[in-house]
């Protein structure tokens, strides 16, 4: 059986924007993540699957960002934002029929219409990619699992601040809420190639 049914699958791209792909990442470089993401975008579009773009964005003073009362480890001071930091990279520019979701936390479902968009398009499975593995991708994957979606994580199209963070998520967290597969396997699934997986 196929890994998934492309007609009920969405490719959800997390934070492929200037701010996240302008700094170092491990174990896959930002350039590698972008290259692999473009392969998946082409495959999903060719299959007629829904593509959803997620970007992190805040008001200029970031007053709409999370302000927890108490956390164990203080976050760094808000960084200086270069103009266009929250814009999607030109290489992944959405087509007119591809939704763009703005998120203000690690979980792209929270406070957005992501779930509404997916359900209105009849989506049962989401393929997740982007930056960063153990933040935006994992956070969104956890919520997808809790909302009863099947989740496929594209290994080489994700990366994090450290290789350790990426590997811990890939080995210990993501397999509990979905399946981790190579970009080659996922591209094949969009093309209808048979695998030993149960179709979802």
């Amino acid at each position: 059986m196929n890994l998934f049914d492309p007609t009920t699958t969405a490719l959800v791209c997390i934070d492929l924007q200037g701010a996240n792909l302008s700094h170092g990442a491990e174990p896959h470089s930002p350039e590698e993540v972008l290259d692999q993401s473009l392969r998946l975008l082409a495959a999903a579009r060719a299959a007629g699957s829904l593509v959803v773009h997620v970007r992190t964005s805040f008001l200029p003073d970031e007053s709409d960002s999370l302000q927890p009362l108490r956390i164990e480890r203080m976050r760094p001071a808000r960084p200086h934002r270069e103009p266009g930091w929250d814009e999607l990279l030109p290489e992944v520019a959405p087509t007119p029929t591809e939704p763009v979701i703005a998120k203000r936390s690690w979980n792209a479902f929270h406070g957005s219409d992501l779930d509404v968009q997916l359900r209105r398009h009849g989506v049962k499975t989401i393929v997740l990619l982007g930056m960063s593995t153990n933040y935006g991708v994992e956070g969104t994957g956890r919520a997808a699992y809790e909302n009863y979606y099947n989740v496929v994580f594209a290994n080489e199209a994700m990366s994090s601040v450290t290789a350790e963070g990426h590997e811990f998520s890939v080995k210990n967290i993501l397999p509990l809420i979905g399946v981790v597969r190579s970009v080659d396997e996922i591209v094949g699934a969009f093309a209808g190639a048979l695998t030993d997986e149960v179709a979802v």
Side-chain angles (χ1 to χ4, degrees):
M1 299 291 289
N2 202 2
L3 179 61
F4 51 74
D5 178 356
T7 67
T8 58
T9 296
L11 180 70
V12 179
C13 308
I14 302 293
D15 293 345
L16 295 180
Q17 60 194 79
N20 283 352
L21 277 85
S22 63
H23 56 70
E26 298 179 0
H28 310 118
S29 71
E31 294 77 18
E32 290 172 318
V33 171
L34 179 58
D35 287 346
Q36 297 299 326
S37 297
L38 291 174
R39 289 184 60 206
L40 290 167
L41 274 167
R45 287 166 173 167
S49 300
L50 178 68
V51 174
V52 180
H53 304 266
V54 176
R55 66 188 184 95
T56 298
S57 183
F58 302 109
L59 292 171
D61 64 356
E62 301 200 15
S63 59
D64 56 341
S65 66
L66 289 175
Q67 304 289 335
L69 295 176
R70 182 177 303 218
I71 53 178
E72 186 77 12
R73 179 179 171 186
M74 293 303 296
R75 295 181 63 185
R78 299 295 181 195
H80 169 70
R81 302 292 192 184
E82 296 293 335
W85 72 272
D86 58 349
E87 295 177 3
L88 296 172
L89 296 175
E91 295 91 333
V92 301
T95 70
T97 59
E98 294 174 354
V100 178
I101 305 296
K103 72 177 178 67
R104 292 169 178 81
S105 66
W106 295 337
N107 168 12
F109 284 88
H110 181 71
S112 80
D113 66 342
L114 177 56
D115 187 51
V116 171
Q117 292 286 352
L118 296 174
R119 295 192 188 282
R120 287 183 176 174
H121 286 87
V123 170
K124 298 179 180 178
T125 301
I126 66 171
V127 176
L128 279 171
L129 62 83
M131 303 285 276
S132 295
T133 308
N134 54 332
Y135 294 101
V137 175
E138 181 182 314
T140 302
R142 286 173 181 260
Y145 170 79
E146 292 168 354
N147 281 282
Y148 213 63
Y149 290 99
N150 299 296
V151 190
V152 180
F153 298 93
N155 193 8
E156 305 95 325
M158 308 182 298
S159 203
S160 190
V161 178
T162 65
E164 292 80 7
H166 171 88
E167 294 298 339
F168 184 87
S169 186
V170 165
K171 292 178 180 178
N172 298 284
I173 305 299
L174 305 188
L176 298 176
I177 57 179
V179 296
V180 181
R181 293 293 182 267
S182 70
V183 169
D184 284 344
E185 290 176 287
I186 298 171
V187 167
F190 276 120
L194 295 180
T195 71
D196 60 357
E197 296 292 331
V198 176
V200 289

